[in-house]
Amino acid sequence: MNTWKQTARIAALIFAVASLAACSKSPPEAPLAQGKVSAPVLQIRNQGMAAYARVPGTVVAHQQVQLSSRLSGYIHSMSVRDGQSVRAGQLLFEVDPTDVVGQVQQAQAGLAEAQSALTDARSNYERFKVLYAQKAIPKQQWDQVKSAYGMAQARVAAARGGVGTAQSQLRYARVTAPFSGIITRKFLQNGDLASPGQPILALADTSRLEVQCSVSGTLYHSLQIGQKIAVLADGKRVPATVLDLVGAADAMTHAHTVKLSLPADSTLQAGDYVSVEVPVTQRQVMTVPAAALLDRAGIPGVFVVDAQGVAHYRMVRPGPSTPEGVEILSGLSAGETVVVGNLAAVNNGDHIEPEGAATHG
């Protein structure tokens, strides 16, 4: 019995010593970084950025026209097609000038008749002029001869004008391109009857493109001719310049028309739909370079470097792209440092050796 009690005491003593030893140990240390990686970093700062109002716009040709004929007649000799490029002065179509040719012939016949009458009147004038000088005829008769001669001269002048007008109409039978461009639409075909003012072809000079949009009065007054603003199309930003500001607002929509010129190397085409960014106010935003953003398992984020130089992957909520980078709506604070390069070699917990520190903002 004594032996059993002695054994129990020894066991209790061993348990107490073990407990004290466990309590004397220091807390476990934090895990060390997985490795060292050299990468460029950037310190984030808030920055002022313009807020934009986006309005829809349409790309149009700087110069476009609908071609018609000033004559009535059947169309022929039209060989152009939709989308075809034409040069200035190229024949586009002709209108049958049969009616105009008849008018020219009629005017020419009237001129010949008037010239014949003028010849007779001139002969009478010369003959009666001598008789009047010899006092062989009364003054009243001489006045009648002079009047007839003057009227004959007027009729010839009028007949010549009629011929000129009729002949000028013949020029409108052949319609040529007023400038180089592309046929954008054919309204009529060969054999169709053309009427004065009726559109036959649409021609556009696509070498110079513009964007037309309608803006409210507030936005209109915030714009200036020559101002640089951005046009968005298919996720791309195209620089544009304010070309025209139409001061008169539309009576129905109360909106003003704004025209923007596009650069010559723009990939946009006439008829494209775009969005125009009109700056309105300034706001404080935080951006990071697009190269700093990652996607891990469908979660967008960045590597944030703490005070010990250790990289931690942090989820962020990215916003729209801007010329300065991608706007970060949440997940970062001003003054924090993020990794902006060599991201493929960075893992969570790596120690970052900065290649170059800079401030963004």
Side-chain angles (χ1 to χ4, degrees):
M1 183 64 180
N2 291 335
T3 303
W4 180 86
K5 289 182 178 180
Q6 185 177 5
T7 302
R9 288 173 182 169
I10 294 173
L13 180 63
I14 294 173
F15 178 78
V17 171
S19 299
L20 290 173
C23 293
S24 65
K25 288 184 180 180
S26 60
E29 297 181 357
L32 298 177
Q34 296 180 5
K36 293 184 178 181
V37 178
S38 178
V41 298
L42 199 65
Q43 191 177 34
I44 305 302
R45 288 284 183 268
N46 285 326
Q47 58 182 321
M49 182 177 295
Y52 296 94
R54 291 189 178 181
V55 295
T58 304
V59 180
V60 298
H62 173 72
Q63 192 175 19
Q64 51 188 340
V65 65
Q66 289 185 349
L67 300 172
S68 58
S69 173
R70 294 182 60 174
L71 306 180
S72 293
Y74 292 100
I75 300 172
H76 63 88
S77 303
M78 182 190 292
S79 58
V80 295
R81 64 184 185 279
D82 288 345
Q84 178 179 338
S85 297
V86 297
R87 64 184 184 279
Q90 179 178 336
L91 177 65
L92 301 179
F93 62 87
E94 293 184 75
V95 175
D96 185 3
T98 301
D99 293 341
V100 179
V101 170
Q103 294 174 6
V104 172
Q105 293 174 346
Q106 184 177 0
Q108 289 174 337
L111 175 60
E113 182 179 351
Q115 287 175 332
S116 177
L118 177 61
T119 300
D120 292 340
R122 183 182 296 112
S123 176
N124 290 336
Y125 175 82
E126 297 295 338
R127 186 173 69 257
F128 279 90
K129 181 178 180 181
V130 174
L131 293 175
Y132 180 71
Q134 296 174 352
K135 299 187 181 300
I137 58 173
K139 183 177 182 303
Q140 181 180 3
Q141 187 176 5
W142 168 238
D143 289 341
Q144 291 176 348
V145 171
K146 288 194 299 180
S147 177
Y149 180 50
M151 292 178 64
Q153 288 177 315
R155 290 191 183 97
V156 169
R160 283 175 179 164
V163 171
T165 300
Q167 289 178 336
S168 68
Q169 293 293 317
L170 282 175
R171 295 198 300 268
Y172 301 120
R174 293 171 54 87
V175 178
T176 59
F179 52 83
S180 299
I182 294 176
I183 302 297
T184 58
R185 185 176 178 184
K186 292 175 64 175
F187 297 95
L188 298 177
Q189 305 291 336
N190 284 325
D192 289 339
L193 180 63
S195 301
Q198 181 183 18
I200 298 176
L201 290 176
L203 176 66
D205 178 9
T206 57
S207 62
R208 292 180 59 190
L209 296 177
E210 299 176 356
V211 172
Q212 288 189 3
C213 61
S214 297
V215 301
S216 65
T218 302
L219 295 180
Y220 169 81
H221 291 295
S222 70
L223 294 172
Q224 296 179 348
I225 292 179
Q227 181 178 349
K228 303 293 185 180
I229 59 178
V231 172
L232 279 65
D234 297 330
K236 299 180 180 179
R237 300 172 63 88
V238 180
T241 306
V242 178
L243 182 64
D244 289 317
L245 296 170
V246 180
D250 183 88
M252 297 295 294
T253 63
H254 308 293
H256 295 260
T257 298
V258 176
K259 297 181 180 180
L260 313 172
S261 62
L262 292 171
D265 58 353
S266 168
T267 58
L268 296 175
Q269 296 182 349
D272 285 351
Y273 174 84
V274 297
S275 293
V276 179
E277 281 191 344
V278 182
V280 286
T281 58
Q282 286 281 334
R283 60 190 179 94
Q284 293 295 312
V285 299
M286 186 183 306
T287 62
V288 299
L293 278 173
L294 292 169
D295 191 316
R296 296 287 174 91
I299 300 175
V302 296
F303 276 112
V304 179
V305 182
D306 62 18
Q308 289 72 39
V310 178
H312 303 276
Y313 188 75
R314 184 184 298 175
M315 181 180 67
V316 297
R317 186 160 67 94
S321 297
T322 71
E324 292 77 17
V326 180
E327 182 179 354
I328 301 300
L329 303 178
S330 63
L332 284 179
S333 300
E336 291 188 306
T337 301
V338 298
V339 182
V340 296
N342 196 23
L343 295 174
V346 179
N347 290 300
N348 204 36
D350 283 346
H351 188 279
I352 303 299
E353 295 182 349
E355 291 182 358
T359 300
H360 190 65

